[in-house]
Amino acid sequence: MFNPRVIKQLAKIFSIFSLIITLSTIFFLKQREQFIHHDSLILHAKKKEPLVMLQAQRSTLNTLHHNVRLLISMQEEKSDEVDYANQKVLVVPFNLNKEQRIEWFKENLQEFKILKLDRLAKQFHARIHKFLKNESCESQFFMTWISPSSSFGEREILSVESLFKAQPKACLTILSRTLDSIHGYKILKPFLDKGFKVQAITPNLSFLVKGTLAEYWFDELREGKIDPGEIPLFQNLSNLIRLVALYKYGGVYLDIDFILLKPLIGLRNCIGAQSMNYVTKQWTRLNNAVLIFDKNHPLLLMFINEFALTFNGNKWGHNGPYLVSRVVERLGEKHGLEFSILPPLAFYPADWNKIGGFFMRPKARIEEKWVEAKLRQLNFETYGVHLWNKQTSGLVIEEGSIIARIVSNHCVICKV
């Protein structure tokens, strides 16, 4: 019996081959008269100046070259449209044991395009270097987007817009294969039209992890030798990408469900506490939704190595918030490294289990006073608000709520 995946791949190859034949035929018919004209010109030129003949030959070659480039461009655009239509996030089937998960992962490796070193991934460093160098960035920000471009919605637009409202001269690199596409360009075009500096770039994970312990881990992953776990692999790869990107280039990483309220200029080498003991004034958990670090900072390298050495795809947060928490906790107070921990109000004024209150409209006078007081507090003590999209994506932003008031001040392009 034929493998359905093989049949699907053969059908796709045949479709692309048919497209090439069809387009080539159309171009040949349309350009035939022009080719004949050039051939006549060349024959005529033989009786005159050699330079004229050379110009005619070059003209013919330029026409052919232009047609080939146009054909390739059309093929890439068509491929992009097909890819956009078929985007999906692969999740390991439920109730599999470790051996079964590894076997499933091996069978589906080709579907995890983020692991592949394709044309755009090979251009990663050159593209990001050119973008950051040529745009004279006041500061450089990174975000990741590992979901389909079709799911990049108003909440995400709000996050990007809040960044540029707070720091209009910043450069934003969105590390994303799906947004690095025609559809992704259309999504980001409103920002480009306003003169903001934003670009989606397909990350090259092999390049980013090189020289760290994560290099060996990633090689093993691509060979299908690592248990991806029950948590979507894309989520854990996002945890790694933010670390290695900051380690290579330095700057600010923001989750794409974060609303920036004020500039981060002046902050350096810091991470935010998600929660703290208000009696002892000690943090109880850190979070990796906001990271601000210099290039090659040693703490980032510790995070990266911890990811590779302790990866567990079955525990939520193990490779993210819990990872940064346990590394910093092991360091103790006398760590000798240059970094600081900001209080929860800086980035996480509402924890994940309390953020819902920010979406609700006040129903009584006392609730209205609380909203006003909270907004004043945010204005003075908070750099931004983490929306915890995993918990709030289904919530409606009610009129008069804290989030509604924030959106009205930070959202023009979006219509949340």
Side-chain angles (χ1 to χ4, degrees), residues 53-198:
M53 184 177 71
L54 180 61
Q55 290 173 339
Q57 290 172 331
R58 285 178 177 175
S59 179
T60 301
L61 291 174
N62 288 338
T63 301
L64 287 168
H65 181 63
H66 171 75
N67 289 338
V68 170
R69 289 181 60 187
L70 184 59
L71 176 60
I72 292 174
S73 176
M74 291 178 67
Q75 286 178 284
E76 290 177 347
E77 182 169 348
K78 183 67 176 177
S79 175
D80 182 81
E81 291 174 356
V82 171
D83 185 54
Y84 161 63
N86 294 325
Q87 286 176 16
K88 60 182 179 179
V89 176
L90 296 180
V91 180
V92 176
F94 190 59
N95 281 339
L96 298 184
N97 59 36
K98 178 179 178 180
E99 290 71 25
Q100 290 171 330
R101 283 194 300 268
I102 293 176
E103 186 62 31
W104 176 90
F105 185 57
K106 287 180 180 178
E107 293 176 355
N108 290 274
L109 260 176
Q110 61 180 350
E111 301 295 333
F112 287 86
K113 296 183 179 179
I114 193 172
L115 303 178
K116 295 182 178 180
L117 192 61
D118 59 13
R119 178 177 57 86
L120 288 175
K122 291 178 181 178
Q123 299 172 359
F124 169 72
H125 178 63
R127 292 176 67 196
I128 197 170
H129 180 71
K130 180 180 180 181
F131 177 62
L132 297 178
K133 178 181 178 181
N134 293 346
E135 296 291 355
S136 61
C137 309
E138 178 185 69
S139 53
Q140 54 193 47
F141 284 77
F142 294 93
M143 292 179 173
T144 61
W145 184 253
I146 41 76
S147 299
S149 60
S150 55
S151 59
F152 195 93
E154 298 297 344
R155 292 276 183 96
E156 291 73 33
I157 294 293
L158 168 61
S159 180
V160 175
E161 188 163 10
S162 71
L163 188 162
F164 286 122
K165 180 161 186 178
Q167 296 188 220
K169 295 182 180 180
C171 287
L172 170 61
T173 302
I174 304 179
L175 300 168
S176 172
R177 192 195 69 82
T178 58
L179 286 178
D180 191 5
S181 62
I182 293 171
H183 184 253
Y185 173 78
K186 291 176 182 177
I187 291 174
L188 299 177
K189 190 174 184 299
F191 295 104
L192 297 172
D193 290 343
K194 289 179 177 290
F196 296 127
K197 292 165 282 193
V198 55

Side-chain angles (χ1 to χ4, degrees), residues 355-375:
I355 188 66
F358 276 37
F359 287 74
M360 299 170 60
R361 68 179 178 84
K363 299 179 178 63
R365 179 58 184 162
I366 190 171
E367 292 179 353
E368 291 178 0
K369 289 184 177 180
W370 177 80
V371 168
E372 293 294 336
K374 180 57 70 174
L375 286 169

